[in-house]
């Protein structure tokens, strides 16, 4: 039931061919990194959804994702394993993991970490309860901080929240009493 979404807050279409997404923080070892196929793009203002398995995602959310990590639906393109970086599949754990987006030169474009992983943020975002998702809020702001992310108890894949955060009013100063 896992899924990831990418949102393009920029003003130009991105060619995703050569981009990778996964949970292996450095080349080698035990987790996964997946590559986008030729022709994959992300238009300005577009959201794409990458599901672990399209069939499970569709039965949960009522629509097909744009891509899948493991083949379950011939109509949905599958991201290929990028074995130069990591040989396994991507499995995001609620208690602690990281997610990385790499460009065609394997340069880190974006990342987040939660629970026991401090790869992207130290301190990391706290562990994520089963059935929740993490979303960048607002979707257009990236300060490279765990504070950019919030937990969603009712995930809505493919929908980004572009409303500006409500400003927190400054504390009201305590009244000063005249001295006697």
């Amino acid at each position: 039931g896992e899924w990831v979404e990418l949102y393009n807050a920029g003003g130009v279409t991105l060619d995703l061919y050569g981009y990778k997404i996964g949970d292996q923080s450095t080349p080698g070892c035990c987790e996964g990194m997946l590559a986008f196929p030729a022709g994959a793009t992300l238009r300005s203002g577009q959201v794409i959804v990458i599901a672990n398995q399209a069939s499970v995602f569709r039965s949960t959310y009522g629509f097909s994702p744009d891509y899948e990590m493991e083949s379950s639906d011939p109509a949905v393109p599958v991201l290929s394993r990028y074995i130069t970086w990591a040989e396994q599949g991507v499995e995001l754990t609620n208690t602690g993991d990281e997610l990385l987006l790499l460009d065609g030169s394997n340069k880190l474009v974006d990342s987040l970490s939660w629970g026991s992983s401090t790869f992207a943020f130290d301190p990391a975002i706290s562990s994520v309860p089963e059935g929740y998702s993490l979303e960048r809020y607002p979707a257009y702001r990236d300060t490279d901080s765990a504070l950019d992310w919030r937990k969603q108890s009712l995930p809505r894949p493919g929908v980004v929240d572009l409303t500006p955060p409500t400003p927190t009013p400054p504390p009201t100063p305590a009244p000063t009493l005249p001295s006697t």
Side-chain angles (χ1 to χ4, degrees):
E2 296 174 345
W3 53 273
V4 174
E5 63 186 11
L6 297 178
Y7 168 65
N8 182 355
V12 298
T13 297
L14 298 173
D15 179 359
L16 294 178
Y17 178 63
Y19 274 64
K20 285 77 84 183
I21 192 163
D23 62 343
Q24 177 61 43
S25 57
T26 56
C29 197
C30 322
E31 295 184 283
M33 190 61 68
L34 305 170
F36 284 91
T41 60
L42 183 57
R43 295 182 314 276
S44 175
Q46 181 185 14
V47 179
I48 59 172
V49 176
I50 306 145
N52 186 29
Q53 292 184 326
S55 59
V56 174
F57 181 88
R58 188 177 35 260
S59 69
T60 304
Y61 295 103
F63 66 97
S64 292
D66 299 285
Y67 297 94
E68 65 180 338
M69 298 178 200
E70 299 291 335
S71 182
S72 70
D73 181 341
V76 178
V78 180
L79 300 184
S80 59
R81 289 192 178 175
Y82 183 59
I83 59 173
T84 302
W85 192 275
E87 294 184 7
Q88 303 298 316
V90 175
E91 292 184 28
L92 305 174
T93 60
N94 293 350
T95 57
D97 216 336
E98 54 279 326
L99 187 66
L100 293 75
L101 179 65
L102 306 176
D103 69 10
S105 301
N106 296 334
K107 180 182 174 208
L108 184 65
V109 174
D110 205 357
S111 63
L112 73 146
S113 57
W114 60 92
S116 60
S117 173
T118 56
F119 173 79
F121 311 125
D122 191 3
I125 301 165
S126 61
S127 296
V128 184
E130 184 73 29
Y132 280 57
S133 69
L134 289 172
E135 74 174 3
R136 179 175 277 143
Y137 176 73
Y140 53 82
R141 184 175 63 200
D142 180 4
T143 65
D144 293 328
S145 163
L147 298 175
D148 292 342
W149 298 87
R150 68 181 182 183
K151 295 175 188 172
Q152 280 294 1
S153 60
L154 298 171
R156 297 183 317 153
V159 177
V160 295
D161 189 346
L162 298 175
T163 58
T166 304
T168 305
T172 306
T176 307
L177 301 175
S179 59
T180 57

